[in-house]
């Protein structure tokens, strides 16, 4: 048996994959696969509408927010957010706490002035408390990444911003893993390929009054207003991906909703962090304990800088036991265990057991 700890595209619930398989040749009694179905057909229309309604229910999305499904992934939204919002005052605040928010800031700087709220750091391992932030009261929006997938840094608070400045959050890698109060945000976006489906679609939750403020040069495909006017059907959507995502939303509803996912995420991440913390420095996670991600757990083996030979041996042992895709991101090295919603507690326990065995056999 294989246990997939990939950072994304990531594991999907087995139950959902079986459902996909069962309906692959005949989707909802249509006689054809969802992949062969017109995106203008009523059968597909219902699939998309149901997915959006289920998401609205899961997150209790207020009625003055629109849900858009777009293409171009998280990276597409790095541009889209700026193109749709930065024109209001020409500047935006970026809270850079890891690789992905750094990339978003760089992209946005093509369309307006970007103010880096935090001083530049060599390594991302913390989230400075908000009292030290330099926010610009004239910013069109404040942008941050709720969970930095590469470094494993997850916010333990929602930034406070003036009522006139919308808060924009990239939740690509922790979407639907913990409760959020949507009303605190102007825009939330999340690529599907971690917690909610295959790669190919991005969910955007946007407050209605922020729609229609785009720069003139905004490409139609990234334009929130056009997407909204066309119910996310302005061009051909990735129908199969949205279908699977809809099944994942139903799966989350059957499994305790956001509260259920959150409880599971806490339990799973605790297993791994406890194993790290009880190893007398043999395993080392550089991230400040209060902002350690519940989704992506990065760690080194042997020392804070990592021992190459031990890390290779650990990865080989893990693979031999069926535990795959545990290699850390190339920019930080080491190991990264991604514990998205579909990864079970029993699977996480297996990883913790392997870590404990490895520690016992290799500690000095
Ligand atoms: N934001 C976060 C937090 C991510 O983890 C990623 C990808 O891993 C992205 C954005 C970029 O997403 P995409 O590859 O879909 O463009």
């Amino acid at each position: 048996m294989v246990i997939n700890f990939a950072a994304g595209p990531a594991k999907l619930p087995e139950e959902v994959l079986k459902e996909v398989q069962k309906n692959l040749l005949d989707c909802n009694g249509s006689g054809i696969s969802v992949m062969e179905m017109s995106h203008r057909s009523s059968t597909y229309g219902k699939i998309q509408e149901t997915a959006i309604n289920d998401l609205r229910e899961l997150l209790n999305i207020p009625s003055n927010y629109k849900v858009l499904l777009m293409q171009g992934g998280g990276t597409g939204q790095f541009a889209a957010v700026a193109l749709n919002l930065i024109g209001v005052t020409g500047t935006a605040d970026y809270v850079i706490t890891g690789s992905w928010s750094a990339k978003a800031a760089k992209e946005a700087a093509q369309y307006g002035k970007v103010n880096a709220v935090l001083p530049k750091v060599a390594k991302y391992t913390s989230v400075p408390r908000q009292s030290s932030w330099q926010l610009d009261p004239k910013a069109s929006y404040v942008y941050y990444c709720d969970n930095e997938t590469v470094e494993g840094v997850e916010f333990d608070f929602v930034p406070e911003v003036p009522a006139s400045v919308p808060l924009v959050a990239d939740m690509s890698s922790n979407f639907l893993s913990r409760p959020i109060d949507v009303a605190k945000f102007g825009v939330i976006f999340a690529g599907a390929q971690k917690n909610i489906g295959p790669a190919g679609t991005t969910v955007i939750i946007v407050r209605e009054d922020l729609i229609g403020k785009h720069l003139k040069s905004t490409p139609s495909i990234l334009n929130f207003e056009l997407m909204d006017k066309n119910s996310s059907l302005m061009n051909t959507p990735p129908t199969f991906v949205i279908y699977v995502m809809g099944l994942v939303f139903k799966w989350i509803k059957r499994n305790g909703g956001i509260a259920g996912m959150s409880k599971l995420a806490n339990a799973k991440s605790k297993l791994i962090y406890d194993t790290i913390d009880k190893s007398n420095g043999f395993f080392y996670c550089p991230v400040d304990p209060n902002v350690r991600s519940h989704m992506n757990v990065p760690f080194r083996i042997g020392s804070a800088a990592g021992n190459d030979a031990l890390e290779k041996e650990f990865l080989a042992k893990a693979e031999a036991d069926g535990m795959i895709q545990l290699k850390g991101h190339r920019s930080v090295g080491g190991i990264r265990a991604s514990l998205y919603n579909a990864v079970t507690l029993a699977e996480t326990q297996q990883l913790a057991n392997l870590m404990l065995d490895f520690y016992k056999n290799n500690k000095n």
Side-chain angles (χ1 to χ4, degrees):
M1 200 187 71
V2 162
I3 307 178
N4 183 2
F5 291 102
K11 183 177 195 269
L12 288 166
E14 203 177 309
E15 220 178 298
V16 167
L17 291 178
K18 284 189 175 148
E19 222 175 321
V20 171
Q21 192 179 34
K22 195 170 133 239
N23 295 302
L24 199 58
L25 303 183
D26 178 5
C27 180
N28 297 351
S30 63
I32 56 172
S33 169
V34 66
M35 286 179 266
E36 307 164 300
M37 195 179 281
S38 165
H39 58 294
R40 309 275 173 211
S41 68
S42 62
T43 313
Y44 176 73
K46 194 143 185 278
I47 288 170
Q48 183 164 313
E49 194 189 327
T50 306
I52 289 175
N53 286 341
D54 282 336
L55 178 66
R56 296 194 84 99
E57 196 184 317
L58 279 167
L59 283 178
N60 202 7
I61 299 176
S63 58
N64 62 327
Y65 283 75
K66 295 296 180 86
V67 175
L68 311 176
L69 302 178
M70 294 172 71
Q71 296 180 61
T75 307
Q77 287 309 303
F78 296 168
V81 162
L83 286 160
N84 284 281
L85 299 179
I86 210 166
V88 175
T89 65
T91 85
D93 277 344
Y94 275 72
V95 185
I96 299 172
T97 55
S99 309
W100 290 113
S101 47
K103 284 200 171 120
K106 196 167 169 209
E107 185 75 17
Q110 300 190 84
Y111 308 110
K113 184 173 169 295
V114 163
N115 168 39
V117 171
L118 302 172
K120 219 174 160 145
V121 288
K123 277 194 176 150
Y124 301 109
T125 55
S126 64
V127 176
R129 299 299 90 182
Q130 198 176 339
S131 51
S132 69
W133 296 12
Q134 298 288 326
L135 289 180
D136 173 3
K138 288 206 204 78
S140 302
Y141 58 92
V142 174
Y143 180 104
Y144 78 108
C145 177
D146 204 36
N147 184 64
E148 286 284 0
T149 323
V150 172
E151 291 85 4
V153 173
E154 186 174 31
F155 270 69
D156 59 339
F157 62 95
V158 176
E160 302 255 337
V161 289
S164 57
V165 182
L167 183 63
V168 176
D170 173 0
M171 294 193 184
S172 292
S173 51
N174 63 353
F175 195 56
L176 305 194
S177 72
R178 62 177 180 176
I180 48 166
D181 179 0
V182 174
K184 290 190 171 155
F185 297 86
V187 178
I188 294 167
F189 70 85
Q193 69 269 25
K194 291 151 199 309
N195 257 334
I196 53 172
T201 195
T202 313
V203 172
I204 295 99
I205 303 171
V206 52
R207 211 175 64 213
E208 247 167 19
D209 61 291
L210 299 174
I211 294 176
K213 298 181 187 295
H214 50 271
L215 296 174
K216 267 210 180 86
S217 55
T218 304
S220 304
I221 193 75
L222 296 178
N223 184 315
F224 289 170
E225 188 178 41
L226 280 176
M227 271 296 161
D228 177 39
K229 275 196 178 137
N230 289 281
S231 306
S232 302
L233 291 166
M234 191 192 72
N235 70 317
T236 316
T239 48
F240 175 73
V241 171
I242 292 168
Y243 164 72
V244 179
M245 186 174 74
L247 297 181
V248 173
F249 293 160
K250 294 262 185 235
W251 176 84
I252 294 176
K253 283 174 76 177
R254 286 196 301 275
N255 286 275
I258 305 295
M261 295 300 115
S262 176
K263 198 169 152 209
L264 194 59
N266 288 338
K268 288 183 296 187
S269 54
K270 186 173 182 319
L271 270 180
I272 305 300
Y273 288 121
D274 280 355
T275 310
I276 292 171
D277 291 341
K278 286 181 189 154
S279 72
N280 297 315
F282 179 76
F283 295 117
Y284 176 78
C285 172
V287 181
D288 280 3
N290 61 318
V291 290
R292 284 177 170 182
S293 170
H294 297 84
M295 295 283 107
N296 313 96
V297 183
F299 61 92
R300 304 300 311 230
I301 305 179
S303 72
N307 172 321
D308 251 10
L310 278 179
E311 286 173 349
K312 274 203 186 108
E313 194 187 328
F314 178 82
L315 288 170
K317 280 210 158 33
E319 281 218 34
D321 284 357
M323 288 177 252
I324 62 163
Q325 310 210 64
L326 278 162
K327 199 171 186 322
H329 190 270
R330 60 194 179 280
S331 64
V332 292
I335 316 293
R336 173 174 50 172
S338 293
L339 310 173
Y340 296 121
N341 288 346
V343 175
T344 66
L345 189 60
E347 289 172 336
T348 312
Q349 183 67 61
Q350 282 204 42
L351 175 61
N353 293 348
L354 173 77
M355 289 171 71
L356 197 60
D357 275 355
F358 196 75
Y359 165 61
K360 284 182 187 153
N361 292 332
N362 291 285
K363 69 180 171 178
N364 289 324

PDB file of all heavy atoms in Angstrom, residues 300-313:
ATOM      1  N   ARG A 300      14.420  18.616   9.187  1.00  0.00           N
ATOM      2  CA  ARG A 300      15.743  18.119   8.823  1.00  0.00           C
ATOM      3  C   ARG A 300      16.072  16.933   9.728  1.00  0.00           C
ATOM      4  O   ARG A 300      15.464  16.784  10.798  1.00  0.00           O
ATOM      5  CB  ARG A 300      16.816  19.200   9.003  1.00  0.00           C
ATOM      6  CG  ARG A 300      16.595  20.504   8.274  1.00  0.00           C
ATOM      7  CD  ARG A 300      16.511  20.398   6.779  1.00  0.00           C
ATOM      8  NE  ARG A 300      17.551  19.641   6.137  1.00  0.00           N
ATOM      9  CZ  ARG A 300      18.270  20.076   5.094  1.00  0.00           C
ATOM     10  NH1 ARG A 300      18.072  21.286   4.613  1.00  0.00           N
ATOM     11  NH2 ARG A 300      19.166  19.295   4.524  1.00  0.00           N
ATOM     12  N   ILE A 301      17.013  16.129   9.303  1.00  0.00           N
ATOM     13  CA  ILE A 301      17.411  14.972  10.122  1.00  0.00           C
ATOM     14  C   ILE A 301      18.903  15.040  10.424  1.00  0.00           C
ATOM     15  O   ILE A 301      19.707  15.338   9.544  1.00  0.00           O
ATOM     16  CB  ILE A 301      17.083  13.637   9.407  1.00  0.00           C
ATOM     17  CG1 ILE A 301      15.597  13.604   9.021  1.00  0.00           C
ATOM     18  CG2 ILE A 301      17.444  12.442  10.299  1.00  0.00           C
ATOM     19  CD1 ILE A 301      15.167  12.342   8.300  1.00  0.00           C
ATOM     20  N   GLY A 302      19.240  14.781  11.685  1.00  0.00           N
ATOM     21  CA  GLY A 302      20.652  14.705  12.086  1.00  0.00           C
ATOM     22  C   GLY A 302      21.166  15.983  12.700  1.00  0.00           C
ATOM     23  O   GLY A 302      21.922  15.954  13.659  1.00  0.00           O
ATOM     24  N   SER A 303      20.732  17.123  12.151  1.00  0.00           N
ATOM     25  CA  SER A 303      21.137  18.423  12.698  1.00  0.00           C
ATOM     26  C   SER A 303      20.240  19.493  12.082  1.00  0.00           C
ATOM     27  O   SER A 303      19.468  19.203  11.163  1.00  0.00           O
ATOM     28  CB  SER A 303      22.597  18.723  12.343  1.00  0.00           C
ATOM     29  OG  SER A 303      22.679  19.029  10.962  1.00  0.00           O
ATOM     30  N   ALA A 304      20.381  20.731  12.579  1.00  0.00           N
ATOM     31  CA  ALA A 304      19.553  21.819  12.046  1.00  0.00           C
ATOM     32  C   ALA A 304      19.813  22.034  10.562  1.00  0.00           C
ATOM     33  O   ALA A 304      18.916  22.429   9.806  1.00  0.00           O
ATOM     34  CB  ALA A 304      19.828  23.097  12.828  1.00  0.00           C
ATOM     35  N   ALA A 305      21.051  21.770  10.128  1.00  0.00           N
ATOM     36  CA  ALA A 305      21.383  21.963   8.705  1.00  0.00           C
ATOM     37  C   ALA A 305      21.055  20.711   7.890  1.00  0.00           C
ATOM     38  O   ALA A 305      21.056  20.737   6.658  1.00  0.00           O
ATOM     39  CB  ALA A 305      22.858  22.295   8.576  1.00  0.00           C
ATOM     40  N   GLY A 306      20.768  19.612   8.580  1.00  0.00           N
ATOM     41  CA  GLY A 306      20.436  18.366   7.898  1.00  0.00           C
ATOM     42  C   GLY A 306      21.676  17.560   7.561  1.00  0.00           C
ATOM     43  O   GLY A 306      22.704  18.105   7.197  1.00  0.00           O
ATOM     44  N   ASN A 307      21.553  16.241   7.721  1.00  0.00           N
ATOM     45  CA  ASN A 307      22.635  15.334   7.358  1.00  0.00           C
ATOM     46  C   ASN A 307      22.175  14.604   6.093  1.00  0.00           C
ATOM     47  O   ASN A 307      21.243  13.808   6.123  1.00  0.00           O
ATOM     48  CB  ASN A 307      22.861  14.378   8.537  1.00  0.00           C
ATOM     49  CG  ASN A 307      23.832  13.278   8.214  1.00  0.00           C
ATOM     50  OD1 ASN A 307      23.848  12.729   7.124  1.00  0.00           O
ATOM     51  ND2 ASN A 307      24.665  12.949   9.197  1.00  0.00           N
ATOM     52  N   ASP A 308      22.850  14.920   4.988  1.00  0.00           N
ATOM     53  CA  ASP A 308      22.454  14.414   3.670  1.00  0.00           C
ATOM     54  C   ASP A 308      22.255  12.904   3.629  1.00  0.00           C
ATOM     55  O   ASP A 308      21.236  12.410   3.126  1.00  0.00           O
ATOM     56  CB  ASP A 308      23.546  14.766   2.661  1.00  0.00           C
ATOM     57  CG  ASP A 308      23.075  15.852   1.719  1.00  0.00           C
ATOM     58  OD1 ASP A 308      22.005  16.431   1.993  1.00  0.00           O
ATOM     59  OD2 ASP A 308      23.773  16.102   0.719  1.00  0.00           O
ATOM     60  N   ALA A 309      23.242  12.212   4.184  1.00  0.00           N
ATOM     61  CA  ALA A 309      23.223  10.748   4.120  1.00  0.00           C
ATOM     62  C   ALA A 309      22.025  10.206   4.907  1.00  0.00           C
ATOM     63  O   ALA A 309      21.296   9.317   4.436  1.00  0.00           O
ATOM     64  CB  ALA A 309      24.527  10.185   4.671  1.00  0.00           C
ATOM     65  N   LEU A 310      21.805  10.777   6.113  1.00  0.00           N
ATOM     66  CA  LEU A 310      20.673  10.298   6.934  1.00  0.00           C
ATOM     67  C   LEU A 310      19.339  10.603   6.259  1.00  0.00           C
ATOM     68  O   LEU A 310      18.412   9.786   6.277  1.00  0.00           O
ATOM     69  CB  LEU A 310      20.706  10.971   8.312  1.00  0.00           C
ATOM     70  CG  LEU A 310      21.629  10.373   9.369  1.00  0.00           C
ATOM     71  CD1 LEU A 310      21.539  11.175  10.657  1.00  0.00           C
ATOM     72  CD2 LEU A 310      21.285   8.897   9.635  1.00  0.00           C
ATOM     73  N   GLU A 311      19.247  11.793   5.661  1.00  0.00           N
ATOM     74  CA  GLU A 311      17.978  12.166   5.007  1.00  0.00           C
ATOM     75  C   GLU A 311      17.693  11.253   3.819  1.00  0.00           C
ATOM     76  O   GLU A 311      16.556  10.820   3.610  1.00  0.00           O
ATOM     77  CB  GLU A 311      18.011  13.649   4.600  1.00  0.00           C
ATOM     78  CG  GLU A 311      17.866  14.549   5.839  1.00  0.00           C
ATOM     79  CD  GLU A 311      18.047  16.035   5.575  1.00  0.00           C
ATOM     80  OE1 GLU A 311      18.485  16.409   4.470  1.00  0.00           O
ATOM     81  OE2 GLU A 311      17.764  16.812   6.505  1.00  0.00           O
ATOM     82  N   LYS A 312      18.729  10.946   3.059  1.00  0.00           N
ATOM     83  CA  LYS A 312      18.564  10.015   1.917  1.00  0.00           C
ATOM     84  C   LYS A 312      18.123   8.649   2.423  1.00  0.00           C
ATOM     85  O   LYS A 312      17.239   8.008   1.853  1.00  0.00           O
ATOM     86  CB  LYS A 312      19.894   9.874   1.161  1.00  0.00           C
ATOM     87  CG  LYS A 312      20.069  10.957   0.115  1.00  0.00           C
ATOM     88  CD  LYS A 312      21.053  10.505  -0.973  1.00  0.00           C
ATOM     89  CE  LYS A 312      21.307  11.664  -1.918  1.00  0.00           C
ATOM     90  NZ  LYS A 312      22.649  12.257  -1.762  1.00  0.00           N
ATOM     91  N   GLU A 313      18.748   8.198   3.495  1.00  0.00           N
ATOM     92  CA  GLU A 313      18.426   6.880   4.049  1.00  0.00           C
ATOM     93  C   GLU A 313      16.971   6.868   4.545  1.00  0.00           C
ATOM     94  O   GLU A 313      16.236   5.900   4.327  1.00  0.00           O
ATOM     95  CB  GLU A 313      19.390   6.570   5.200  1.00  0.00           C
ATOM     96  CG  GLU A 313      19.365   5.117   5.615  1.00  0.00           C
ATOM     97  CD  GLU A 313      20.197   4.873   6.879  1.00  0.00           C
ATOM     98  OE1 GLU A 313      21.211   5.577   7.076  1.00  0.00           O
ATOM     99  OE2 GLU A 313      19.793   4.001   7.671  1.00  0.00           O
TER     100      GLU A 313
END
